[in-house]
Amino acid sequence: MNEYLIVHNSILPSSFLTVIKVKEYLLQNPNANVKDACLKFDISRSTYYKYKDKIFLLNANIKRKAVISLALENAQGNLSNVLNNLSNANANILTISQALPINNVANVNITIDIGTLNDELATIISKLNNLKGVINANLINID
């Protein structure tokens, strides 16, 4: 089952739409902070933080980058295997950030350009989750 849905905003709780307003406000006002933006739109910060990375506007011109967070077993070739799979999906890799492994687990964030993917992002993440050496792969954000 696909974990991403397209739904009309009329059936969503108003807090979801308010989260979008806060996100847009913060993008348009770089000096604004989350606390003030949440007060302005009458939403709790906990609600904003709970949903901010899960709610996006459907706009093909804006959704060009995705951040994927991975937990990998600390073994030779695991990151290379992930990168090869992303390359096979026609993802342009923009950044890679890897922390030092702790308890034999390496945490990696990869930002990719999703404008040229040859498959759905959810399918690609599902394939990453099935790779040997991948403990977990999650979509963190779409920009």
Side-chain angles (χ1 to χ4, degrees), residues 23-71:
K23 287 173 67 169
E24 288 177 341
Y25 178 80
L26 291 170
L27 281 174
Q28 295 169 359
N29 298 283
N31 293 329
N33 62 43
V34 172
K35 178 183 175 189
D36 293 337
C38 288
L39 285 172
K40 177 178 178 65
F41 292 98
D42 194 29
I43 187 173
S44 70
R45 284 185 294 156
S46 63
T47 299
Y48 170 75
Y49 282 114
K50 181 177 181 179
Y51 296 116
K52 76 177 184 72
D53 293 329
K54 304 287 185 191
I55 302 172
F56 310 99
L57 288 176
L58 182 62
N59 184 337
N61 295 329
I62 294 175
K63 293 182 181 178
R64 305 296 294 177
K65 294 179 285 217
V67 180
I68 300 170
S69 176
L70 300 113

mmCIF file of all heavy atoms in Angstrom, residues 23-71:
data_model
loop_
_atom_site.group_PDB
_atom_site.id
_atom_site.type_symbol
_atom_site.label_atom_id
_atom_site.label_comp_id
_atom_site.label_asym_id
_atom_site.label_seq_id
_atom_site.Cartn_x
_atom_site.Cartn_y
_atom_site.Cartn_z
ATOM 1 N N LYS A 23 4.404 27.244 7.222
ATOM 2 C CA LYS A 23 5.588 26.924 6.420
ATOM 3 C C LYS A 23 5.831 27.989 5.343
ATOM 4 O O LYS A 23 6.966 28.422 5.143
ATOM 5 C CB LYS A 23 5.426 25.542 5.770
ATOM 6 C CG LYS A 23 5.565 24.397 6.745
ATOM 7 C CD LYS A 23 5.236 23.057 6.129
ATOM 8 C CE LYS A 23 6.239 22.661 5.075
ATOM 9 N NZ LYS A 23 6.074 21.248 4.646
ATOM 10 N N GLU A 24 4.769 28.401 4.668
ATOM 11 C CA GLU A 24 4.906 29.424 3.626
ATOM 12 C C GLU A 24 5.351 30.754 4.229
ATOM 13 O O GLU A 24 6.195 31.446 3.672
ATOM 14 C CB GLU A 24 3.590 29.589 2.868
ATOM 15 C CG GLU A 24 3.281 28.428 1.956
ATOM 16 C CD GLU A 24 1.936 28.564 1.253
ATOM 17 O OE1 GLU A 24 1.071 29.354 1.727
ATOM 18 O OE2 GLU A 24 1.753 27.876 0.247
ATOM 19 N N TYR A 25 4.773 31.106 5.382
ATOM 20 C CA TYR A 25 5.145 32.348 6.056
ATOM 21 C C TYR A 25 6.632 32.339 6.412
ATOM 22 O O TYR A 25 7.340 33.327 6.197
ATOM 23 C CB TYR A 25 4.280 32.535 7.307
ATOM 24 C CG TYR A 25 4.617 33.770 8.099
ATOM 25 C CD1 TYR A 25 4.143 35.014 7.696
ATOM 26 C CD2 TYR A 25 5.401 33.687 9.240
ATOM 27 C CE1 TYR A 25 4.459 36.153 8.423
ATOM 28 C CE2 TYR A 25 5.718 34.811 9.975
ATOM 29 C CZ TYR A 25 5.240 36.051 9.566
ATOM 30 O OH TYR A 25 5.560 37.180 10.281
ATOM 31 N N LEU A 26 7.106 31.223 6.944
ATOM 32 C CA LEU A 26 8.512 31.122 7.330
ATOM 33 C C LEU A 26 9.434 31.195 6.115
ATOM 34 O O LEU A 26 10.519 31.761 6.185
ATOM 35 C CB LEU A 26 8.759 29.838 8.121
ATOM 36 C CG LEU A 26 8.127 29.803 9.514
ATOM 37 C CD1 LEU A 26 8.216 28.404 10.114
ATOM 38 C CD2 LEU A 26 8.777 30.831 10.428
ATOM 39 N N LEU A 27 9.005 30.641 4.993
ATOM 40 C CA LEU A 27 9.805 30.730 3.765
ATOM 41 C C LEU A 27 9.877 32.158 3.241
ATOM 42 O O LEU A 27 10.912 32.601 2.755
ATOM 43 C CB LEU A 27 9.211 29.828 2.678
ATOM 44 C CG LEU A 27 9.519 28.349 2.785
ATOM 45 C CD1 LEU A 27 8.742 27.565 1.737
ATOM 46 C CD2 LEU A 27 11.003 28.091 2.633
ATOM 47 N N GLN A 28 8.770 32.880 3.347
ATOM 48 C CA GLN A 28 8.700 34.242 2.820
ATOM 49 C C GLN A 28 9.293 35.269 3.773
ATOM 50 O O GLN A 28 9.586 36.392 3.366
ATOM 51 C CB GLN A 28 7.253 34.608 2.496
ATOM 52 C CG GLN A 28 6.678 33.780 1.373
ATOM 53 C CD GLN A 28 5.168 33.959 1.224
ATOM 54 O OE1 GLN A 28 4.547 34.695 1.994
ATOM 55 N NE2 GLN A 28 4.596 33.278 0.259
ATOM 56 N N ASN A 29 9.462 34.896 5.024
ATOM 57 C CA ASN A 29 9.980 35.809 6.043
ATOM 58 C C ASN A 29 11.155 35.148 6.757
ATOM 59 O O ASN A 29 10.990 34.583 7.848
ATOM 60 C CB ASN A 29 8.877 36.159 7.046
ATOM 61 C CG ASN A 29 7.724 36.870 6.395
ATOM 62 O OD1 ASN A 29 7.804 38.046 6.100
ATOM 63 N ND2 ASN A 29 6.644 36.130 6.125
ATOM 64 N N PRO A 30 12.337 35.211 6.159
ATOM 65 C CA PRO A 30 13.493 34.503 6.714
ATOM 66 C C PRO A 30 13.865 34.904 8.141
ATOM 67 O O PRO A 30 14.480 34.127 8.855
ATOM 68 C CB PRO A 30 14.637 34.841 5.763
ATOM 69 C CG PRO A 30 14.051 35.576 4.624
ATOM 70 C CD PRO A 30 12.660 35.947 4.954
ATOM 71 N N ASN A 31 13.487 36.105 8.569
ATOM 72 C CA ASN A 31 13.823 36.550 9.925
ATOM 73 C C ASN A 31 12.776 36.123 10.951
ATOM 74 O O ASN A 31 12.976 36.320 12.149
ATOM 75 C CB ASN A 31 13.995 38.070 9.958
ATOM 76 C CG ASN A 31 15.204 38.508 9.155
ATOM 77 O OD1 ASN A 31 16.181 37.780 9.051
ATOM 78 N ND2 ASN A 31 15.136 39.691 8.580
ATOM 79 N N ALA A 32 11.669 35.546 10.488
ATOM 80 C CA ALA A 32 10.613 35.100 11.405
ATOM 81 C C ALA A 32 11.046 33.800 12.082
ATOM 82 O O ALA A 32 11.821 33.026 11.533
ATOM 83 C CB ALA A 32 9.312 34.898 10.650
ATOM 84 N N ASN A 33 10.513 33.583 13.286
ATOM 85 C CA ASN A 33 10.795 32.319 13.955
ATOM 86 C C ASN A 33 9.501 31.519 14.090
ATOM 87 O O ASN A 33 8.397 32.042 13.913
ATOM 88 C CB ASN A 33 11.479 32.538 15.313
ATOM 89 C CG ASN A 33 10.623 33.308 16.285
ATOM 90 O OD1 ASN A 33 9.429 33.069 16.409
ATOM 91 N ND2 ASN A 33 11.241 34.247 17.001
ATOM 92 N N VAL A 34 9.650 30.240 14.386
ATOM 93 C CA VAL A 34 8.503 29.334 14.438
ATOM 94 C C VAL A 34 7.507 29.770 15.511
ATOM 95 O O VAL A 34 6.291 29.746 15.287
ATOM 96 C CB VAL A 34 8.972 27.881 14.673
ATOM 97 C CG1 VAL A 34 7.794 26.961 14.933
ATOM 98 C CG2 VAL A 34 9.790 27.389 13.482
ATOM 99 N N LYS A 35 7.998 30.198 16.656
ATOM 100 C CA LYS A 35 7.104 30.604 17.744
ATOM 101 C C LYS A 35 6.184 31.735 17.298
ATOM 102 O O LYS A 35 4.957 31.661 17.471
ATOM 103 C CB LYS A 35 7.923 31.042 18.965
ATOM 104 C CG LYS A 35 7.083 31.520 20.113
ATOM 105 C CD LYS A 35 7.948 32.015 21.253
ATOM 106 C CE LYS A 35 7.080 32.604 22.351
ATOM 107 N NZ LYS A 35 7.886 33.275 23.363
ATOM 108 N N ASP A 36 6.750 32.773 16.699
ATOM 109 C CA ASP A 36 5.942 33.913 16.258
ATOM 110 C C ASP A 36 4.998 33.530 15.126
ATOM 111 O O ASP A 36 3.857 33.985 15.078
ATOM 112 C CB ASP A 36 6.839 35.070 15.831
ATOM 113 C CG ASP A 36 7.618 35.658 17.006
ATOM 114 O OD1 ASP A 36 7.172 35.487 18.158
ATOM 115 O OD2 ASP A 36 8.674 36.269 16.763
ATOM 116 N N ALA A 37 5.464 32.692 14.204
ATOM 117 C CA ALA A 37 4.612 32.264 13.089
ATOM 118 C C ALA A 37 3.427 31.447 13.599
ATOM 119 O O ALA A 37 2.302 31.622 13.127
ATOM 120 C CB ALA A 37 5.425 31.465 12.086
ATOM 121 N N CYS A 38 3.674 30.584 14.558
ATOM 122 C CA CYS A 38 2.584 29.783 15.117
ATOM 123 C C CYS A 38 1.574 30.660 15.856
ATOM 124 O O CYS A 38 0.361 30.445 15.753
ATOM 125 C CB CYS A 38 3.132 28.693 16.037
ATOM 126 S SG CYS A 38 3.964 27.363 15.142
ATOM 127 N N LEU A 39 2.070 31.664 16.591
ATOM 128 C CA LEU A 39 1.160 32.602 17.264
ATOM 129 C C LEU A 39 0.326 33.367 16.235
ATOM 130 O O LEU A 39 -0.879 33.558 16.420
ATOM 131 C CB LEU A 39 1.943 33.573 18.135
ATOM 132 C CG LEU A 39 2.504 33.022 19.442
ATOM 133 C CD1 LEU A 39 3.422 34.044 20.104
ATOM 134 C CD2 LEU A 39 1.370 32.625 20.367
ATOM 135 N N LYS A 40 0.962 33.806 15.152
ATOM 136 C CA LYS A 40 0.284 34.574 14.115
ATOM 137 C C LYS A 40 -0.868 33.779 13.502
ATOM 138 O O LYS A 40 -1.927 34.323 13.204
ATOM 139 C CB LYS A 40 1.281 34.975 13.034
ATOM 140 C CG LYS A 40 0.686 35.722 11.856
ATOM 141 C CD LYS A 40 1.768 36.121 10.868
ATOM 142 C CE LYS A 40 1.225 36.830 9.668
ATOM 143 N NZ LYS A 40 0.602 38.115 9.924
ATOM 144 N N PHE A 41 -0.673 32.468 13.310
ATOM 145 C CA PHE A 41 -1.690 31.643 12.664
ATOM 146 C C PHE A 41 -2.480 30.790 13.650
ATOM 147 O O PHE A 41 -3.233 29.904 13.246
ATOM 148 C CB PHE A 41 -1.045 30.767 11.586
ATOM 149 C CG PHE A 41 -0.538 31.562 10.419
ATOM 150 C CD1 PHE A 41 0.794 31.908 10.322
ATOM 151 C CD2 PHE A 41 -1.418 32.005 9.435
ATOM 152 C CE1 PHE A 41 1.259 32.656 9.252
ATOM 153 C CE2 PHE A 41 -0.960 32.758 8.372
ATOM 154 C CZ PHE A 41 0.374 33.085 8.274
ATOM 155 N N ASP A 42 -2.286 31.057 14.938
ATOM 156 C CA ASP A 42 -3.056 30.408 16.000
ATOM 157 C C ASP A 42 -2.986 28.879 15.936
ATOM 158 O O ASP A 42 -3.999 28.191 15.852
ATOM 159 C CB ASP A 42 -4.519 30.872 15.963
ATOM 160 C CG ASP A 42 -5.259 30.507 17.239
ATOM 161 O OD1 ASP A 42 -4.608 30.421 18.296
ATOM 162 O OD2 ASP A 42 -6.491 30.286 17.165
ATOM 163 N N ILE A 43 -1.755 28.389 15.947
ATOM 164 C CA ILE A 43 -1.525 26.950 15.966
ATOM 165 C C ILE A 43 -0.426 26.673 16.988
ATOM 166 O O ILE A 43 0.482 27.487 17.170
ATOM 167 C CB ILE A 43 -1.133 26.424 14.561
ATOM 168 C CG1 ILE A 43 -1.063 24.906 14.535
ATOM 169 C CG2 ILE A 43 0.147 27.045 14.077
ATOM 170 C CD1 ILE A 43 -0.836 24.318 13.147
ATOM 171 N N SER A 44 -0.508 25.539 17.654
ATOM 172 C CA SER A 44 0.525 25.220 18.644
ATOM 173 C C SER A 44 1.807 24.806 17.924
ATOM 174 O O SER A 44 1.776 24.255 16.822
ATOM 175 C CB SER A 44 0.054 24.101 19.569
ATOM 176 O OG SER A 44 -0.003 22.876 18.871
ATOM 177 N N ARG A 45 2.920 25.075 18.576
ATOM 178 C CA ARG A 45 4.200 24.664 17.998
ATOM 179 C C ARG A 45 4.296 23.144 17.907
ATOM 180 O O ARG A 45 4.868 22.611 16.972
ATOM 181 C CB ARG A 45 5.369 25.232 18.803
ATOM 182 C CG ARG A 45 5.588 26.708 18.531
ATOM 183 C CD ARG A 45 6.806 27.244 19.238
ATOM 184 N NE ARG A 45 6.568 27.193 20.684
ATOM 185 C CZ ARG A 45 7.503 27.150 21.608
ATOM 186 N NH1 ARG A 45 8.765 27.148 21.272
ATOM 187 N NH2 ARG A 45 7.200 27.114 22.882
ATOM 188 N N SER A 46 3.711 22.456 18.878
ATOM 189 C CA SER A 46 3.770 20.987 18.840
ATOM 190 C C SER A 46 3.021 20.449 17.620
ATOM 191 O O SER A 46 3.485 19.503 16.978
ATOM 192 C CB SER A 46 3.226 20.377 20.127
ATOM 193 O OG SER A 46 1.868 20.694 20.295
ATOM 194 N N THR A 47 1.886 21.051 17.280
ATOM 195 C CA THR A 47 1.155 20.635 16.078
ATOM 196 C C THR A 47 1.978 20.929 14.833
ATOM 197 O O THR A 47 2.078 20.096 13.928
ATOM 198 C CB THR A 47 -0.211 21.342 15.988
ATOM 199 O OG1 THR A 47 -0.987 20.978 17.143
ATOM 200 C CG2 THR A 47 -0.962 20.960 14.727
ATOM 201 N N TYR A 48 2.576 22.112 14.793
ATOM 202 C CA TYR A 48 3.409 22.468 13.644
ATOM 203 C C TYR A 48 4.547 21.463 13.476
ATOM 204 O O TYR A 48 4.754 20.920 12.389
ATOM 205 C CB TYR A 48 3.970 23.883 13.808
ATOM 206 C CG TYR A 48 5.013 24.210 12.772
ATOM 207 C CD1 TYR A 48 4.641 24.496 11.456
ATOM 208 C CD2 TYR A 48 6.363 24.204 13.088
ATOM 209 C CE1 TYR A 48 5.598 24.764 10.498
ATOM 210 C CE2 TYR A 48 7.329 24.482 12.135
ATOM 211 C CZ TYR A 48 6.942 24.759 10.839
ATOM 212 O OH TYR A 48 7.890 25.014 9.892
ATOM 213 N N TYR A 49 5.284 21.196 14.537
ATOM 214 C CA TYR A 49 6.428 20.290 14.439
ATOM 215 C C TYR A 49 5.988 18.852 14.142
ATOM 216 O O TYR A 49 6.709 18.104 13.484
ATOM 217 C CB TYR A 49 7.281 20.336 15.709
ATOM 218 C CG TYR A 49 8.169 21.548 15.762
ATOM 219 C CD1 TYR A 49 7.986 22.532 16.724
ATOM 220 C CD2 TYR A 49 9.188 21.727 14.827
ATOM 221 C CE1 TYR A 49 8.806 23.654 16.768
ATOM 222 C CE2 TYR A 49 10.011 22.842 14.862
ATOM 223 C CZ TYR A 49 9.812 23.799 15.828
ATOM 224 O OH TYR A 49 10.613 24.903 15.856
ATOM 225 N N LYS A 50 4.822 18.480 14.621
ATOM 226 C CA LYS A 50 4.324 17.117 14.382
ATOM 227 C C LYS A 50 4.068 16.875 12.891
ATOM 228 O O LYS A 50 4.317 15.779 12.383
ATOM 229 C CB LYS A 50 3.040 16.893 15.179
ATOM 230 C CG LYS A 50 2.461 15.504 15.031
ATOM 231 C CD LYS A 50 1.239 15.339 15.915
ATOM 232 C CE LYS A 50 0.661 13.949 15.803
ATOM 233 N NZ LYS A 50 -0.505 13.769 16.680
ATOM 234 N N TYR A 51 3.586 17.903 12.177
ATOM 235 C CA TYR A 51 3.151 17.708 10.798
ATOM 236 C C TYR A 51 4.015 18.397 9.737
ATOM 237 O O TYR A 51 3.848 18.143 8.556
ATOM 238 C CB TYR A 51 1.710 18.184 10.633
ATOM 239 C CG TYR A 51 0.732 17.393 11.450
ATOM 240 C CD1 TYR A 51 0.005 17.983 12.472
ATOM 241 C CD2 TYR A 51 0.533 16.040 11.203
ATOM 242 C CE1 TYR A 51 -0.900 17.255 13.223
ATOM 243 C CE2 TYR A 51 -0.363 15.306 11.957
ATOM 244 C CZ TYR A 51 -1.076 15.909 12.959
ATOM 245 O OH TYR A 51 -1.952 15.191 13.701
ATOM 246 N N LYS A 52 4.938 19.250 10.117
ATOM 247 C CA LYS A 52 5.644 20.076 9.138
ATOM 248 C C LYS A 52 6.391 19.274 8.076
ATOM 249 O O LYS A 52 6.504 19.711 6.936
ATOM 250 C CB LYS A 52 6.589 21.057 9.824
ATOM 251 C CG LYS A 52 7.877 20.436 10.345
ATOM 252 C CD LYS A 52 8.783 21.492 10.937
ATOM 253 C CE LYS A 52 10.096 20.934 11.364
ATOM 254 N NZ LYS A 52 10.978 20.577 10.287
ATOM 255 N N ASP A 53 6.883 18.105 8.430
ATOM 256 C CA ASP A 53 7.620 17.287 7.470
ATOM 257 C C ASP A 53 6.746 16.232 6.804
ATOM 258 O O ASP A 53 7.243 15.375 6.080
ATOM 259 C CB ASP A 53 8.805 16.608 8.153
ATOM 260 C CG ASP A 53 9.862 17.608 8.601
ATOM 261 O OD1 ASP A 53 10.009 18.645 7.933
ATOM 262 O OD2 ASP A 53 10.521 17.343 9.619
ATOM 263 N N LYS A 54 5.445 16.316 7.038
ATOM 264 C CA LYS A 54 4.522 15.323 6.484
ATOM 265 C C LYS A 54 3.487 15.935 5.536
ATOM 266 O O LYS A 54 2.789 15.209 4.847
ATOM 267 C CB LYS A 54 3.772 14.602 7.612
ATOM 268 C CG LYS A 54 4.653 13.944 8.634
ATOM 269 C CD LYS A 54 5.293 12.714 8.094
ATOM 270 C CE LYS A 54 6.091 12.010 9.196
ATOM 271 N NZ LYS A 54 6.937 10.974 8.698
ATOM 272 N N ILE A 55 3.374 17.259 5.523
ATOM 273 C CA ILE A 55 2.353 17.935 4.722
ATOM 274 C C ILE A 55 3.030 18.841 3.712
ATOM 275 O O ILE A 55 3.848 19.688 4.074
ATOM 276 C CB ILE A 55 1.413 18.772 5.620
ATOM 277 C CG1 ILE A 55 0.739 17.885 6.669
ATOM 278 C CG2 ILE A 55 0.381 19.503 4.781
ATOM 279 C CD1 ILE A 55 -0.039 18.649 7.710
ATOM 280 N N PHE A 56 2.687 18.644 2.435
ATOM 281 C CA PHE A 56 3.283 19.423 1.359
ATOM 282 C C PHE A 56 2.205 19.826 0.371
ATOM 283 O O PHE A 56 1.241 19.087 0.147
ATOM 284 C CB PHE A 56 4.342 18.611 0.617
ATOM 285 C CG PHE A 56 5.337 17.955 1.517
ATOM 286 C CD1 PHE A 56 5.218 16.626 1.870
ATOM 287 C CD2 PHE A 56 6.398 18.677 2.027
ATOM 288 C CE1 PHE A 56 6.136 16.025 2.704
ATOM 289 C CE2 PHE A 56 7.321 18.092 2.867
ATOM 290 C CZ PHE A 56 7.182 16.754 3.208
ATOM 291 N N LEU A 57 2.383 20.971 -0.247
ATOM 292 C CA LEU A 57 1.499 21.367 -1.331
ATOM 293 C C LEU A 57 1.881 20.600 -2.588
ATOM 294 O O LEU A 57 3.057 20.363 -2.855
ATOM 295 C CB LEU A 57 1.610 22.874 -1.600
ATOM 296 C CG LEU A 57 0.996 23.795 -0.565
ATOM 297 C CD1 LEU A 57 1.273 25.252 -0.936
ATOM 298 C CD2 LEU A 57 -0.500 23.556 -0.453
ATOM 299 N N LEU A 58 0.887 20.225 -3.366
ATOM 300 C CA LEU A 58 1.142 19.548 -4.624
ATOM 301 C C LEU A 58 1.395 20.606 -5.687
ATOM 302 O O LEU A 58 0.484 21.252 -6.178
ATOM 303 C CB LEU A 58 -0.058 18.675 -5.018
ATOM 304 C CG LEU A 58 0.094 17.871 -6.296
ATOM 305 C CD1 LEU A 58 1.246 16.887 -6.159
ATOM 306 C CD2 LEU A 58 -1.182 17.137 -6.607
ATOM 307 N N ASN A 59 2.669 20.803 -5.989
ATOM 308 C CA ASN A 59 3.065 21.789 -6.980
ATOM 309 C C ASN A 59 4.332 21.292 -7.644
ATOM 310 O O ASN A 59 5.405 21.344 -7.061
ATOM 311 C CB ASN A 59 3.290 23.156 -6.318
ATOM 312 C CG ASN A 59 3.606 24.227 -7.322
ATOM 313 O OD1 ASN A 59 4.066 23.968 -8.426
ATOM 314 N ND2 ASN A 59 3.360 25.461 -6.933
ATOM 315 N N ALA A 60 4.211 20.802 -8.851
ATOM 316 C CA ALA A 60 5.334 20.168 -9.543
ATOM 317 C C ALA A 60 6.514 21.117 -9.726
ATOM 318 O O ALA A 60 7.650 20.686 -9.826
ATOM 319 C CB ALA A 60 4.872 19.637 -10.891
ATOM 320 N N ASN A 61 6.273 22.419 -9.771
ATOM 321 C CA ASN A 61 7.354 23.369 -9.980
ATOM 322 C C ASN A 61 8.198 23.577 -8.731
ATOM 323 O O ASN A 61 9.319 24.027 -8.815
ATOM 324 C CB ASN A 61 6.794 24.726 -10.443
ATOM 325 C CG ASN A 61 6.145 24.610 -11.794
ATOM 326 O OD1 ASN A 61 6.543 23.804 -12.618
ATOM 327 N ND2 ASN A 61 5.120 25.407 -12.012
ATOM 328 N N ILE A 62 7.654 23.259 -7.571
ATOM 329 C CA ILE A 62 8.368 23.480 -6.320
ATOM 330 C C ILE A 62 9.040 22.197 -5.836
ATOM 331 O O ILE A 62 10.150 22.216 -5.359
ATOM 332 C CB ILE A 62 7.413 24.022 -5.237
ATOM 333 C CG1 ILE A 62 6.942 25.401 -5.644
ATOM 334 C CG2 ILE A 62 8.086 24.064 -3.883
ATOM 335 C CD1 ILE A 62 5.916 25.989 -4.725
ATOM 336 N N LYS A 63 8.376 21.077 -5.987
ATOM 337 C CA LYS A 63 8.900 19.816 -5.459
ATOM 338 C C LYS A 63 10.033 19.307 -6.335
ATOM 339 O O LYS A 63 9.832 18.520 -7.232
ATOM 340 C CB LYS A 63 7.780 18.782 -5.377
ATOM 341 C CG LYS A 63 6.731 19.110 -4.371
ATOM 342 C CD LYS A 63 5.719 18.018 -4.326
ATOM 343 C CE LYS A 63 4.637 18.333 -3.345
ATOM 344 N NZ LYS A 63 3.619 17.321 -3.320
ATOM 345 N N ARG A 64 11.207 19.766 -6.052
ATOM 346 C CA ARG A 64 12.363 19.379 -6.849
ATOM 347 C C ARG A 64 13.412 18.635 -6.040
ATOM 348 O O ARG A 64 14.255 17.994 -6.600
ATOM 349 C CB ARG A 64 13.004 20.619 -7.492
ATOM 350 C CG ARG A 64 12.069 21.459 -8.318
ATOM 351 C CD ARG A 64 11.540 20.750 -9.494
ATOM 352 N NE ARG A 64 12.638 20.472 -10.409
ATOM 353 C CZ ARG A 64 12.515 19.801 -11.513
ATOM 354 N NH1 ARG A 64 11.374 19.320 -11.865
ATOM 355 N NH2 ARG A 64 13.549 19.587 -12.278
ATOM 356 N N LYS A 65 13.373 18.756 -4.714
ATOM 357 C CA LYS A 65 14.378 18.118 -3.870
ATOM 358 C C LYS A 65 13.687 17.315 -2.770
ATOM 359 O O LYS A 65 12.651 17.719 -2.259
ATOM 360 C CB LYS A 65 15.299 19.154 -3.231
ATOM 361 C CG LYS A 65 16.169 19.892 -4.217
ATOM 362 C CD LYS A 65 17.023 20.918 -3.519
ATOM 363 C CE LYS A 65 16.150 22.040 -3.161
ATOM 364 N NZ LYS A 65 16.563 23.360 -3.210
ATOM 365 N N ALA A 66 14.304 16.202 -2.442
ATOM 366 C CA ALA A 66 13.811 15.390 -1.331
ATOM 367 C C ALA A 66 14.995 15.023 -0.452
ATOM 368 O O ALA A 66 16.109 14.814 -0.940
ATOM 369 C CB ALA A 66 13.130 14.129 -1.841
ATOM 370 N N VAL A 67 14.743 14.960 0.844
ATOM 371 C CA VAL A 67 15.767 14.536 1.797
ATOM 372 C C VAL A 67 15.354 13.172 2.329
ATOM 373 O O VAL A 67 14.244 13.002 2.834
ATOM 374 C CB VAL A 67 15.916 15.541 2.958
ATOM 375 C CG1 VAL A 67 16.993 15.064 3.935
ATOM 376 C CG2 VAL A 67 16.233 16.929 2.438
ATOM 377 N N ILE A 68 16.255 12.222 2.177
ATOM 378 C CA ILE A 68 16.019 10.854 2.639
ATOM 379 C C ILE A 68 16.992 10.575 3.775
ATOM 380 O O ILE A 68 18.193 10.832 3.657
ATOM 381 C CB ILE A 68 16.233 9.843 1.497
ATOM 382 C CG1 ILE A 68 15.273 10.139 0.345
ATOM 383 C CG2 ILE A 68 16.047 8.415 2.004
ATOM 384 C CD1 ILE A 68 15.574 9.350 -0.913
ATOM 385 N N SER A 69 16.459 10.071 4.877
ATOM 386 C CA SER A 69 17.280 9.700 6.024
ATOM 387 C C SER A 69 17.400 8.179 6.057
ATOM 388 O O SER A 69 16.400 7.474 5.919
ATOM 389 C CB SER A 69 16.635 10.206 7.309
ATOM 390 O OG SER A 69 17.372 9.764 8.421
ATOM 391 N N LEU A 70 18.630 7.702 6.235
ATOM 392 C CA LEU A 70 18.871 6.265 6.253
ATOM 393 C C LEU A 70 19.669 5.869 7.487
ATOM 394 O O LEU A 70 20.547 6.613 7.931
ATOM 395 C CB LEU A 70 19.671 5.831 5.018
ATOM 396 C CG LEU A 70 19.031 6.109 3.674
ATOM 397 C CD1 LEU A 70 19.819 7.137 2.925
ATOM 398 C CD2 LEU A 70 18.916 4.835 2.886
ATOM 399 N N ALA A 71 19.356 4.713 8.007
ATOM 400 C CA ALA A 71 20.188 4.066 9.027
ATOM 401 C C ALA A 71 20.777 2.838 8.335
ATOM 402 O O ALA A 71 20.033 1.976 7.843
ATOM 403 C CB ALA A 71 19.364 3.667 10.234
#
